[in-house]
Amino acid sequence: ETQRPLVDKLEQYRWSSYPSYRNQTETPEWLYKDAVFGELGSKKPTAAYRRYVESGNDEETEKFYAKNRWPAVRGSDKFTQKAHRFSNGEQTGVSRVRREVDVDVILRSVAGHFSCDQAELLVARRGQGVDNVARSMAMKLCQEQGGMKLAGIGAMFGLSSVSGVTKTISRLNQRMKDDVELMKRHSSLCREISR
């Protein structure tokens, strides 16, 4: 059953920060817009934010919010268990800060694992039956291991919007849930490039 929205326009919802992000209302002291705008990486952040919001949710997010009960921590079983241990004080010691991996190392490793040329990873291929899993994996690793912002990944891979990057990575995450070999390949790449 489709639920009717609470308001006709997002700007009308009293508790939304959307009007502040769009500079339609005064920004409250507690709202730190720079973090979100930084992820978008645009010279016109308010317009980029509007495009991002209007692009809608990816499939994974839709499935998450369709559930009746929402978990306090979202992620794999291993991740959620670790997060709960940490929040309960069971985690001791200072964790090592992860260093970001150079993008060239990521691209070289992905190209090697998928037996393709590095330059091919940066070019979108379209058409029926085209499988861009290597390209999607490179984007995912640039975000996870390279610490790149969505806008930077989009620019490098020739995508016109950050929502394209989000959707690509989301589709790969969904596919990895059902494809054990692809999950193993991701783990192997993570180990290889973090050495």
Side-chain angles (χ1 to χ4, degrees), residues 116-128:
C116 65
D117 188 69
Q118 276 183 243
E120 289 178 38
L121 297 172
L122 302 176
V123 179
R125 291 177 287 140
R126 300 195 184 283
Q128 191 172 5

Side-chain angles (χ1 to χ4, degrees), residues 37-54:
F37 285 163
E39 282 295 320
L40 297 171
S42 172
K43 290 182 180 178
K44 297 181 179 178
T46 55
Y49 184 77
R50 179 188 55 78
R51 285 192 305 275
Y52 177 73
V53 170
E54 289 177 359

Side-chain angles (χ1 to χ4, degrees), residues 78-151:
K78 184 178 176 181
F79 174 80
T80 55
Q81 289 169 3
K82 184 176 180 180
H84 286 294
R85 281 196 310 273
F86 187 82
S87 69
N88 290 331
E90 296 173 28
Q91 189 80 13
T92 57
V94 178
S95 61
R96 182 172 63 86
V97 175
R98 180 176 60 83
R99 67 176 176 82
E100 293 174 351
V101 178
D102 186 81
V103 171
D104 290 331
V105 171
I106 293 170
L107 296 177
R108 190 169 41 251
S109 295
V110 171
H113 269 256
F114 287 90
S115 302
C116 65
D117 188 69
Q118 276 183 243
E120 289 178 38
L121 297 172
L122 302 176
V123 179
R125 291 177 287 140
R126 300 195 184 283
Q128 191 172 5
V130 172
D131 188 3
N132 287 343
V133 69
R135 178 176 159 85
S136 302
M137 185 68 75
M139 286 186 206
K140 178 176 175 63
L141 292 171
C142 281
Q143 182 185 36
E144 288 178 348
Q145 304 294 321
M148 289 184 69
K149 296 186 184 304
L150 296 174

